Amino acid sequence: FWNLIKLNLLYSLACIPIVTIGPATAAFTTVLKKYSMERHSYIWSDFWESFKKNFKQSFWVGIVDIILLIGTISAITVYPKLSETSKLFTVALLISISIAVTLIIMNFYIFLMIISLELSLKDIIKNAFILTCAALKENVITLLAVSLVAAAVYALMFFLNIFFILLFTLFLSSFCGFVIVFNCYPIIQKYIINPYYEAKGIENPENQYANASEDDAIFNDNAENAKRIKTPKSKKIIS
């Protein structure tokens, strides 16, 4: 809980320049991915390492997202008024909302693929659209869950004191982000990562973390012959 608040604060600060929203989101997603896989994360170092490592691709995604957000807000604001003069603007409004929802869901996958896969931005966007359609049921559930949580938090802000308002505000982004990563990364594993390793005839290194027992130890508890047991390192997918 407190780590999510710390991450939320760090993410908010990193987004202040606006143009860094993309790299900040990639770094934010990196930490949340580790949490969703029940792996430890050093928030500060992991965040900034991912920020620098994934800067190029995530920067352009962030810029496009900002432009699309402005366009969507403009459409939702202007088209309802124009629809009074022509029904065509109502159709345009519905199309704009449909495109916006699709792009939001695609963003669930884009940043996860940026930090997990070695693919061109073109392939990442194409895969994000495919996954948006292929896992439509899961994506709708995730979107509804995040929307309900956000709506509930903003509704409660009107009834709770300033401490709880601040707490919920600091917690909201990281909690919703965690829900998205927790639900969407397994879909990337199912359709992209696991098939890659299966084609190569090798085990996905990430599965070794998932299948590890709580009793597994990093060190062999033997005073006479103590040795470190190597833990598997995950690798990026090259395509």
Side-chain angles (χ1 to χ4, degrees), residues 10-79:
L10 183 57
Y11 177 57
S12 300
L13 291 173
C15 285
I16 288 177
I18 299 179
V19 293
T20 61
I21 287 176
T25 303
F28 177 72
T29 304
T30 298
V31 178
L32 291 175
K33 177 187 169 186
K34 289 189 175 184
Y35 286 159
S36 73
M37 299 175 71
E38 298 184 358
R39 292 166 60 182
H40 177 71
S41 175
Y42 294 99
I43 297 176
W44 180 265
S45 59
D46 287 347
F47 185 95
W48 291 114
E49 180 183 355
S50 179
F51 185 95
K52 293 182 287 186
K53 185 177 181 180
N54 301 293
F55 186 91
K56 186 176 180 180
Q57 288 185 323
S58 59
F59 172 80
W60 292 113
V61 173
I63 295 298
V64 171
D65 279 346
I66 292 171
I67 294 172
L68 291 173
L69 177 63
I70 294 172
T72 301
I73 292 174
S74 300
I76 293 174
T77 304
V78 174
Y79 285 148

Side-chain angles (χ1 to χ4, degrees), residues 26-185:
F28 177 72
T29 304
T30 298
V31 178
L32 291 175
K33 177 187 169 186
K34 289 189 175 184
Y35 286 159
S36 73
M37 299 175 71
E38 298 184 358
R39 292 166 60 182
H40 177 71
S41 175
Y42 294 99
I43 297 176
W44 180 265
S45 59
D46 287 347
F47 185 95
W48 291 114
E49 180 183 355
S50 179
F51 185 95
K52 293 182 287 186
K53 185 177 181 180
N54 301 293
F55 186 91
K56 186 176 180 180
Q57 288 185 323
S58 59
F59 172 80
W60 292 113
V61 173
I63 295 298
V64 171
D65 279 346
I66 292 171
I67 294 172
L68 291 173
L69 177 63
I70 294 172
T72 301
I73 292 174
S74 300
I76 293 174
T77 304
V78 174
Y79 285 148
K81 296 178 181 178
L82 294 176
S83 63
E84 297 175 0
T85 59
S86 174
K87 296 299 181 182
L88 289 176
F89 290 107
T90 302
V91 176
L93 175 62
L94 294 175
I95 292 173
S96 298
I97 293 174
S98 299
I99 293 173
V101 171
T102 301
L103 292 172
I104 289 171
I105 296 175
M106 285 177 64
N107 268 271
F108 292 174
Y109 295 100
I110 288 174
F111 287 100
L112 272 171
M113 284 191 282
I114 286 175
I115 66 172
S116 304
L117 312 175
E118 289 185 357
L119 296 173
S120 67
L121 191 54
K122 177 183 175 182
D123 289 333
I124 287 174
I125 293 172
K126 180 184 72 175
N127 288 339
F129 180 74
I130 292 171
L131 292 177
T132 297
C133 300
L136 185 60
K137 179 182 177 181
E138 293 85 346
N139 294 330
V140 170
I141 291 173
T142 301
L143 183 62
L144 287 175
V146 170
S147 301
L148 288 173
V149 169
V153 167
Y154 283 114
L156 288 171
M157 287 172 61
F158 292 100
F159 301 102
L160 301 177
N161 62 40
I162 188 64
F163 172 77
F164 288 102
I165 292 174
L166 182 62
L167 184 62
F168 281 127
T169 303
L170 293 176
F171 185 66
L172 181 60
S173 294
S174 54
F175 179 77
C176 290
F178 179 80
V179 171
I180 291 168
V181 173
F182 186 85
N183 287 345
C184 294
Y185 188 64

